[in-house]
Amino acid sequence: MTIHIGAKNDEIAETVLLPGDPMRAKWAAENFLTSPRLVNQVRGMFGYTGSFNGNRVTIQGSGMGMPSLSIYANELIRDYDVKTLIRIGSCGGMQPNINIRDIVIAQTTSYISTPSSTIMKEVSFSPCADFELLHNAYNFAKSKGIKTHVGNIYSSDTFYDERPDLNEQMVRHGIMAVEMEAAELYTLAARFNRKALAILTVSDHLQTGEALPSDEREKTFAQMIDVALAAAFPAK
Ligand code: HPA
């Protein structure tokens, strides 16, 4: 057990999927895993462990924003020795060619700060995805005809942004989408020599104002879980 995770040491798998929303963790475990078992409910941040094609998997909510994700990712790595961490979340599209329902895979992430920024001092660290996970995810998505973009995203600390000029610069520099967790996840994976990937569905668009209707959120989320599981456990 840790401060924020109530699971016993052997109740967390080596591979963990991390949706921001704990209710999504419950839904994903119940719909995609064989014999899912609730292993954490501290603060209502549900975690479930089950199996997929004979492989043990945990699906653990991370909460919103880098400080929250950082707590869960640190404890999963340090206390449960998790090797592979895959964020499954939503993002806001920022480019005209990025549409609602598309999948965005973060090859790298830009950010203003992360909970790890202070230890980097003057260095502008570049968090990056694990190449093998990225390769597997992209190939699977492509084989299924899922529209998928791979490149740079922006991990922001603010959802209700008061600095439109920042977004303008991000758009100008080809940033595909904004979300709030991936930069810290990739930084922790680098620090502890683990594998990480952030797979995101575009739930809204900053330029068009379009948003995914709530009845379609489940379907796009399901597609993303397929991609995440195929990234971790590619068909042989
Ligand atoms: N901003 C930040 N995070 C997000 C957004 C957004 O517009 N959409 C989904 N996650």
Side-chain angles (χ1 to χ4, degrees):
M1 290 207 308
T2 63
I3 296 173
H4 304 94
I5 303 176
K8 298 193 188 80
N9 267 357
D10 60 355
E11 286 182 324
I12 301 276
E14 279 192 1
T15 299
V16 179
L17 307 191
L18 294 158
D21 178 354
M23 291 311 289
R24 287 284 186 206
K26 181 176 191 296
W27 183 87
E30 286 169 354
N31 287 281
F32 287 80
L33 301 187
T34 307
S35 312
R37 216 162 56 77
L38 179 67
V39 293
N40 181 48
Q41 50 183 326
V42 176
R43 291 178 181 245
M45 198 59 80
F46 301 128
Y48 289 80
T49 297
S51 66
F52 171 76
N53 287 350
N55 304 289
R56 269 183 105 219
V57 189
T58 296
I59 307 183
Q60 168 66 52
S62 72
M64 289 180 282
M66 289 185 266
S68 179
L69 174 130
S70 188
I71 289 170
Y72 293 101
N74 261 293
E75 293 181 10
L76 289 168
I77 292 170
R78 292 163 186 254
D79 299 287
Y80 294 95
D81 203 17
V82 168
K83 309 279 193 226
T84 298
L85 302 98
I86 303 180
R87 164 161 160 71
I88 43 175
S90 61
C91 64
M94 297 181 83
Q95 300 288 334
N97 68 322
I98 307 280
N99 295 310
I100 304 287
R101 301 177 194 83
D102 290 356
I103 283 189
V104 165
I105 302 177
Q107 185 174 12
T108 183
T109 79
S110 302
Y111 55 93
I112 291 172
S113 73
T114 75
S116 297
S117 297
T118 51
I119 65 169
M120 297 295 176
K121 299 193 176 170
E122 63 270 55
V123 172
S124 295
F125 181 71
S126 300
C128 78
D130 177 77
F131 180 75
E132 198 182 340
L133 290 176
L134 172 58
H135 186 256
N136 293 344
Y138 182 73
N139 284 342
F140 176 82
K142 211 172 152 196
S143 76
K144 297 288 173 195
I146 301 168
K147 204 170 152 213
T148 304
H149 310 266
V150 178
N152 199 352
I153 65 158
Y154 171 36
S155 296
S156 173
D157 280 339
T158 48
F159 188 89
Y160 296 103
D161 201 7
E162 298 286 346
R163 287 277 309 272
D165 57 313
L166 288 178
N167 284 342
E168 265 167 43
Q169 291 305 332
M170 294 292 141
V171 171
R172 229 179 121 210
H173 289 83
I175 298 288
M176 300 183 299
V178 56
E179 54 85 76
M180 303 182 69
E181 292 82 13
E184 173 70 357
L185 177 65
Y186 285 7
T187 302
L188 290 173
R191 187 178 313 150
F192 294 103
N193 192 23
R194 308 300 153 111
K195 297 176 169 206
L197 187 67
I199 305 170
L200 310 160
T201 47
V202 182
S203 60
D204 53 272
H205 203 290
L206 270 59
Q207 285 172 339
T208 63
E210 210 185 339
L212 194 62
S214 52
D215 58 341
E216 280 192 48
R217 283 178 192 248
E218 209 156 84
K219 194 169 135 229
T220 54
F221 189 69
Q223 212 172 40
M224 181 168 50
I225 298 167
D226 282 335
V227 176
L229 290 168
F233 310 110
K236 295 203 173 79

